[in-house]
Amino acid sequence: MNKALKWGFIICASLVVIIIAAILIIPRVVDVQKYKPELEKKVSEAFGRPFSVSDDLRFSLFPWVGLSFSDLHLGNVKGFAEKDFVNVKSFEVRIKLLPLLSKNIQVKKFILNEPRIVLVKNKDGRVNWEMPQKTSEAKMDEKVPVGEISATGLPIGALTVGDFSIKNGVVLWIDHAASTRIEISDVNLTMKEVSLDRPVQLKFSAFLDKQPFSIEGSVGPVGKGFQEGSVSMDLSLKALNQLTMRLKGTLENLDATPGIELDLKMAEIGRAHI
């Protein structure tokens, strides 16, 4: 019996060594560029639109699961004059590997640089964010069960994020039927102390048709399940270089019948309770 346990321990230890070695070695010896054309093809087929990414695509597995790339383009479907639906100048994310086994998500960095989203409505009413229909009518009629957050809480045990930022983003809305165009530019978002257990500090700024607005403050803590209570927020909103408001309150019952209890203060104008 002791001999069997000894050999069992040796086998398990060997497997662990092999797995760790593979995690360390594979990213160094596998030529990612070799598989990039196939990856682009699969993504293009899945979204029904052209997809490409620059040759600097990189990934790693240990101790951080890492992914980085630049010059990503997700095109529009046929029938739209605009070339791209989404394009990203660069992206980098690093997530610690071993804690994922216990649903503990530890993100070292999440940096999205110069994302640009172009939402378009054509004169015939078609919109460019709809996915092409590929499923048969029979499959479309099938009901797919959807999990409820209220029954299980969030599907993670813990969450911490070190550096989270979205830099110089653009969202463009073009309605060819109404001949309107709205642009949100210079979108910047940073979040600090991101976790489920304490308030998240956030700072957001952008220009809406060249008019500045910003939001700064804290939201949370969220907790592990929305059903366990309300989510507090304390935010300061500034717009048009003139209007300043403070929003302080709670978001309640997000899993069932969402509601908001809000105390709103406007600088030098007065106070209203909603």
Side-chain angles (χ1 to χ4, degrees):
M1 185 67 178
N2 290 336
K3 189 174 182 180
L5 289 175
K6 178 181 178 181
W7 279 106
F9 176 78
I10 292 173
I11 292 172
C12 290
S14 300
L15 288 174
V16 170
V17 171
I18 292 171
I19 291 171
I20 293 176
I23 289 173
L24 291 172
I25 295 172
I26 288 175
R28 300 178 182 275
V29 300
V30 173
D31 183 5
V32 179
Q33 302 308 317
K34 179 179 178 181
Y35 299 98
K36 189 173 77 74
E38 184 65 20
L39 171 64
E40 291 175 332
K41 179 182 176 183
K42 294 296 184 182
V43 174
S44 180
E45 291 175 351
F47 285 92
R49 57 187 75 211
F51 173 80
S52 66
V53 65
S54 181
D55 290 340
D56 63 352
L57 176 66
R58 298 286 184 271
F59 83 97
S60 61
L61 287 176
F62 191 83
W64 301 91
V65 178
L67 173 67
S68 65
F69 58 77
S70 66
D71 200 25
L72 178 147
H73 294 268
L74 183 63
N76 272 313
V77 294
K78 293 181 179 180
F80 290 88
E82 294 73 16
K83 181 180 179 181
D84 283 341
F85 170 48
V86 175
N87 64 274
V88 175
K89 184 174 182 179
S90 65
F91 173 75
E92 182 179 6
V93 63
R94 290 184 178 274
I95 303 174
K96 208 159 191 177
L97 177 63
L98 295 182
L100 291 175
L101 300 177
S102 57
K103 297 182 179 180
N104 181 0
I105 301 178
Q106 297 180 19
V107 182
K108 183 178 182 180
K109 63 172 61 176
F110 181 102
I111 301 176
L112 182 61
N113 188 31
E114 296 189 23
R116 188 172 189 267
I117 303 173
V118 182
L119 305 174
V120 182
K121 181 178 180 181
N122 272 349
K123 291 182 178 181
D124 59 5
R126 292 178 61 211
V127 292
N128 70 332
W129 59 86
E130 288 184 342
M131 295 287 289
Q133 298 294 328
K134 292 184 178 182
T135 56
S136 63
E137 293 184 3
K139 289 184 178 180
M140 291 178 64
D141 292 336
E142 293 178 1
K143 294 183 178 180
V144 179
V146 178
E148 297 182 1
I149 291 179
S150 59
T152 60
L154 296 176
I156 58 177
L159 171 67
T160 55
V161 182
D163 183 5
F164 181 100
S165 61
I166 298 174
K167 302 176 181 179
N168 301 320
V170 174
V171 179
L172 182 61
W173 163 251
I174 302 174
D175 187 340
H176 291 294
S179 298
T180 57
R181 177 189 177 101
I182 300 174
E183 181 176 8
I184 304 175
S185 61
D186 295 321
V187 177
N188 289 278
L189 171 64
T190 59
M191 293 195 293
K192 298 180 179 179
E193 302 178 12
V194 177
S195 77
L196 301 178
D197 304 321
R198 58 180 181 266
V200 176
Q201 305 299 317
L202 67 86
K203 186 175 182 180
F204 174 86
S205 63
F207 284 81
L208 175 57
D209 285 339
K210 299 183 180 181
Q211 298 298 322
F213 69 95
S214 63
I215 300 173
E216 186 172 356
S218 64
V219 176
V222 174
K224 295 181 180 179
F226 289 117
Q227 78 281 6
E228 296 177 0
S230 58
V231 177
S232 62
M233 64 178 182
D234 187 354
L235 302 171
S236 175
L237 185 149
K238 297 180 181 180
L240 307 177
N241 290 322
Q242 296 179 350
L243 178 64
T244 299
M245 292 187 295
R246 185 180 180 187
L247 310 175
K248 188 173 183 180
T250 56
L251 304 173
E252 301 175 340
N253 301 319
L254 296 180
D255 62 317
T257 54
I260 181 171
E261 184 176 339
L262 183 65
D263 189 40
L264 185 150
K265 296 180 181 179
M266 301 184 69
E268 300 180 358
I269 294 180
R271 174 173 174 171
H273 185 76
I274 299 178

